[in-house]
Amino acid sequence: MIDTHAHLTDPRFCDDVDSVVERAWDSGVVAIINPATNMEDLGRVVEVVNKYPKVYGLVGIYPGEANPSSWESDLAKIWDILEHDDKIVGVGEIGLDEAPLKENPDLEYAVFEVQLAHAATHDYPVVIHTRNTEKEMWEVMKRQSKLPRAHMHCFSGSIEWLEYVLSSGFYVGFDGNVTYKNAENLRTLAKNVPLDRLLLETDAPYLPPTGHRGERNEPGNVRITAEFLAEIRGENFDTLIDATTNNAKTLYGI
Ligand SMILES: [Zn+2]
């Protein structure tokens, strides 16, 4: 299993990241991908990926995290790290989020679209966050001259949006929230993603699966979501693990 989205650099992991990573390997996780959210987190991502051989990083500016006066020079630093550090395998976490988009639409669109275009031009894979911004995200996608290879993180939304995402060649990730009682819509979406486009994620420390709610989530829990997905999709567990592991390797080149 590969946890394609975990924030090991979150302050909630700073005291015991060694044991968190150890427990992940014990659960059968073979690699973890850690996206960055801002310039401060970026430094921690570079540290963590260079400490653990099977932890890889992504670099980018998360919605609401751009510094209005320095984001362009910050991105120049980000692209330099991406080009030169072999453990940094793509762009992320980038995207659109309802609250910052309402507050500062010009900045949020600019930061997102510049990163998206850079990834497309240089053929870097990208992980995309959307929260209550399906329509706006769709419009952004449609006005790009070229789209990058992408991973839609913590997927939610309409079935039409899923169809668009799949027709664009994107991969689709699900987290522990697919196990929640009221998440019937997420389960319908998860059943409609072809096996060769599906990715496993935890979004740790967020979104712990049922049975662990209220706790800090961690990459080892990706197994619970994988078992749950295999069951609702009517697939063999090992088949789902092999396919999602291959998908992550193909997309991120790890
Ligand atoms: Zn995230």
Side-chain angles (χ1 to χ4, degrees):
M1 282 170 287
I2 295 183
D3 181 358
T4 59
H5 198 104
H7 297 278
L8 294 172
T9 50
D10 187 279
R12 289 170 73 186
F13 287 120
C14 72
D15 290 337
D16 62 343
V17 67
D18 279 343
S19 44
V20 168
V21 169
E22 213 42 60
R23 277 196 293 277
W25 309 149
D26 290 346
S27 306
V29 173
V30 297
I32 299 168
I33 298 177
N34 190 139
T37 54
N38 55 36
M39 294 311 282
E40 198 194 328
D41 191 36
L42 173 79
R44 296 193 294 257
V45 169
V46 170
E47 256 173 55
V48 86
V49 301
N50 286 295
K51 184 167 177 205
Y52 305 104
K54 292 293 171 191
V55 177
Y56 299 87
L58 306 174
V59 285
I61 302 176
Y62 186 77
E65 293 290 328
N67 181 321
S69 56
S70 68
W71 69 271
E72 285 168 294
S73 57
D74 288 343
L75 277 182
K77 289 177 203 153
I78 287 175
W79 303 147
D80 189 58
I81 292 169
L82 179 57
E83 198 184 329
H84 294 106
D85 189 327
D86 289 343
K87 295 294 299 297
I88 302 295
V89 295
V91 177
E93 171 173 3
I94 66 171
L96 298 175
D97 192 292
E98 191 179 26
L101 191 62
K102 247 183 215 149
E103 206 168 295
N104 202 340
D106 291 348
L107 176 69
E108 290 300 307
Y109 280 120
V111 173
F112 176 48
E113 289 186 58
V114 166
Q115 294 182 93
L116 201 59
H118 185 90
T121 306
H122 298 270
D123 194 29
Y124 292 123
V126 53
V127 68
I128 296 176
H129 163 105
T130 59
R131 187 183 292 145
N132 299 332
T133 51
E134 178 181 321
K135 190 175 134 277
E136 292 85 352
M137 180 61 72
W138 206 331
E139 283 161 6
V140 167
M141 294 289 179
K142 282 196 274 198
R143 63 175 175 256
Q144 303 306 303
S145 56
K146 187 181 175 208
L147 286 170
R149 295 177 293 125
H151 164 185
M152 302 305 289
H153 151 62
C154 195
F155 193 78
S156 66
S158 66
I159 201 85
E160 293 76 20
W161 173 229
L162 175 64
E163 278 160 13
Y164 173 79
V165 159
L166 292 171
S167 71
S168 304
F170 295 171
Y171 291 82
V172 181
F174 293 95
D175 304 81
N177 56 342
V178 75
T179 67
Y180 297 173
K181 209 172 177 181
N182 62 358
E184 205 45 59
N185 178 254
L186 290 183
R187 285 187 279 280
T188 303
L189 295 167
K191 286 187 230 174
N192 278 283
V193 175
L195 192 53
D196 64 355
R197 298 295 188 80
L198 188 67
L199 293 172
L200 300 174
E201 320 177 343
T202 58
D203 204 20
Y206 308 103
L207 303 177
T210 296
H212 296 269
R213 290 189 78 171
E215 296 172 16
R216 179 187 71 173
N217 196 14
E218 58 176 66
N221 288 337
V222 77
R223 172 177 282 276
I224 298 170
T225 303
E227 284 166 352
F228 184 87
L229 286 171
E231 182 165 342
I232 63 165
R233 289 166 55 90
E235 277 158 357
N236 176 279
F237 178 71
D238 291 331
T239 309
L240 182 130
I241 294 308
D242 287 349
T244 53
T245 299
N246 280 331
N247 295 343
K249 287 182 175 173
T250 304
L251 176 64
Y252 288 110
I254 58 174

